[in-house]
Amino acid sequence: MNMEQLTQGEPLAFIFAFLIGLSMLLYAILDGYDLGVGILSSIVDEAHRDRMIASIGPFWDANETWLVLGVGLLLVAFPAAHGVVLTTLYLPVAVMLLALIFRGVSFDFRRKVAKKKQAAWNRNFFIGSLLVALSQGYMVGRFIIGFQEGLTAQLFACFFGLLVVAGYVLMGACWLILKAEGELQERAVGWARRAIWTMVLGAILSSLTAPFVDTRIYDRMFAFPEVTLLLAMPLISIMLTLLMHFILGILPMENDRLAWMPLAISIAIFVLGFLGLVYSFYPYIIPGQLLITDAAAAPESLKIILIGTAVVLPFLIGYTALAYWIFKGKASDLSYD
């Protein structure tokens, strides 16, 4: 690739890096809450479990489309990076894919098998949801430290896995606050209060470990003016966490007032966390290994892919928005008729 091609390809490379990041963020938010609901479904009785699963029924499979889009764009726009990621994370990726399949099968089978077998499929739905969340958190943890090896790196990835599980549980609980009523809504408030502080603990543990496994993150954390940006986002997150704790303390309210706010706050926390992670390894597509511009496909290929993405992306956004509009309001009883 000559210098002129490299210059022409740079804007396209950053456009695709943005689209991949956007897809992964939307996936984490949208599929995060339904994975959280799946994890929480293990601690309720059958009636509440059915209502919880009914709340995600119209959305859960479509939410996973954003993961497919993000991975697909990584493959075609940054094939070298895609190869590094899948080669290094082969085992957790395999676990995640098997868990996604297992979870999808369990979702349908749990109410369609004989009554005596339903408990096993309910348990399988929980296990699938938990394994997906844990594997995703572990992979993200490995990714943001550039796939470093060693005990400290593994601890960081494991702490980050627990952080993601707590984050998904928080999202799931906040989703149920919005979609449920009565006793289930009250229990969801309690789940959210415990999840938010568990997530804070996971964030502290992973943050304390991060400087010892990646000197680049350490340098940015304590260099000026980067330190001001990296401190601003955690401070805002702390303020949002305290606001969340206060709001959860007064919910539920009459006429379902402010039931939407915990979910909105949790989404804002996820967005801030995502922006902080992206900033920590920008301009790399593989932290410390591959720059965005170095890993990008040829400009001619990127132009063709961009045309296809411009056609597909509005349909995905439109379908997602339409589904949430049609099924707005409180969740109804689960039915397979």
Side-chain angles (χ1 to χ4, degrees):
M1 185 182 296
N2 59 40
M3 186 60 67
E4 183 178 354
Q5 287 177 312
L6 181 62
T7 304
Q8 291 174 351
E10 281 188 2
L12 289 173
F14 285 106
I15 288 172
F16 276 100
F18 169 79
L19 291 175
I20 292 170
L22 178 64
S23 299
M24 292 305 184
L25 176 60
L26 288 174
Y27 171 78
I29 292 172
L30 297 177
D31 206 38
Y33 78 75
D34 72 59
L35 287 169
V37 170
I39 295 170
L40 290 169
S41 68
S42 65
I43 58 175
V44 295
D45 57 30
E46 191 65 26
H48 283 157
R49 185 180 297 111
D50 282 350
R51 183 60 64 91
M52 290 167 67
I53 294 178
S55 75
I56 64 174
F59 314 109
W60 71 275
D61 49 352
N63 291 340
E64 294 173 358
T65 307
W66 293 102
L67 177 62
V68 176
L69 176 64
V71 174
L73 289 177
L74 181 65
L75 171 62
V76 296
F78 302 97
H82 184 272
V84 172
V85 171
L86 288 193
T87 301
T88 308
L89 300 177
Y90 182 84
L91 182 58
V93 167
V95 170
M96 182 190 72
L97 292 177
L98 290 173
L100 284 170
I101 296 170
F102 194 54
R103 180 173 182 264
V105 172
S106 302
F107 184 93
D108 287 327
F109 277 32
R110 58 174 298 276
R111 285 302 298 269
K112 295 181 180 180
V113 297
K115 190 73 175 177
K116 62 182 180 180
K117 297 181 180 179
Q118 288 181 4
W121 286 107
N122 285 329
R123 184 170 58 252
N124 293 341
F125 183 68
F126 157 73
I127 293 172
S129 301
L130 180 61
L131 284 177
V132 171
L134 277 173
S135 59
Q136 288 179 357
Y138 175 82
M139 287 189 290
V140 173
R142 291 293 310 280
F143 174 80
I144 63 179
I145 59 173
F147 306 121
Q148 295 183 56
E149 300 294 340
L151 177 60
T152 309
Q154 292 294 334
L155 282 175
F156 175 83
C158 291
F159 288 149
F160 207 89
L162 295 175
L163 169 62
V164 169
V165 171
Y168 284 175
V169 169
L170 173 66
M171 292 282 290
C174 292
W175 173 258
L176 291 173
I177 292 171
L178 177 64
K179 301 292 285 187
E181 300 174 287
E183 182 185 352
L184 181 56
Q185 186 183 48
E186 293 175 1
R187 294 188 68 177
V189 170
W191 295 333
R193 295 187 73 172
R194 290 189 288 273
I196 185 67
W197 293 112
T198 304
M199 192 172 73
V200 168
L201 177 61
I204 291 173
L205 291 173
S206 53
S207 297
L208 290 175
T209 313
F212 299 100
V213 294
D214 192 291
T215 55
R216 181 175 38 79
I217 296 176
Y218 182 87
D219 292 341
R220 283 201 166 189
M221 287 177 64
F222 295 99
F224 187 85
E226 286 87 347
V227 65
T228 58
L229 295 173
L230 287 177
L231 286 177
M233 286 183 283
L235 287 175
I236 296 173
S237 296
I238 291 171
M239 294 173 60
L240 289 173
T241 300
L242 294 175
L243 177 61
M244 171 84 83
H245 183 76
F246 171 76
I247 294 296
L248 292 172
I250 61 175
L251 290 177
M253 301 177 68
E254 291 184 7
N255 301 319
D256 219 33
R257 289 187 298 118
L258 300 183
W260 58 270
M261 187 170 284
L263 183 61
I265 295 174
S266 63
I267 291 173
I269 293 173
F270 262 64
V271 171
L272 284 172
F274 180 83
L275 292 176
L277 290 178
V278 170
Y279 180 77
S280 70
F281 59 75
Y282 177 85
Y284 290 91
I285 190 73
I286 301 292
Q289 296 186 33
L290 282 175
L291 291 168
I292 292 173
T293 50
D294 292 341
E300 294 80 7
S301 300
L302 293 178
K303 290 177 183 177
I304 295 174
I305 299 165
L306 185 60
I307 294 172
T309 305
V311 173
V312 171
L313 190 59
F315 280 99
L316 288 180
I317 295 173
Y319 170 80
T320 301
L322 180 62
Y324 281 89
W325 173 258
I326 291 174
F327 294 101
K328 65 181 183 296
K330 297 296 182 179
S332 57
D333 290 333
L334 184 64
S335 175
Y336 287 90
D337 296 332

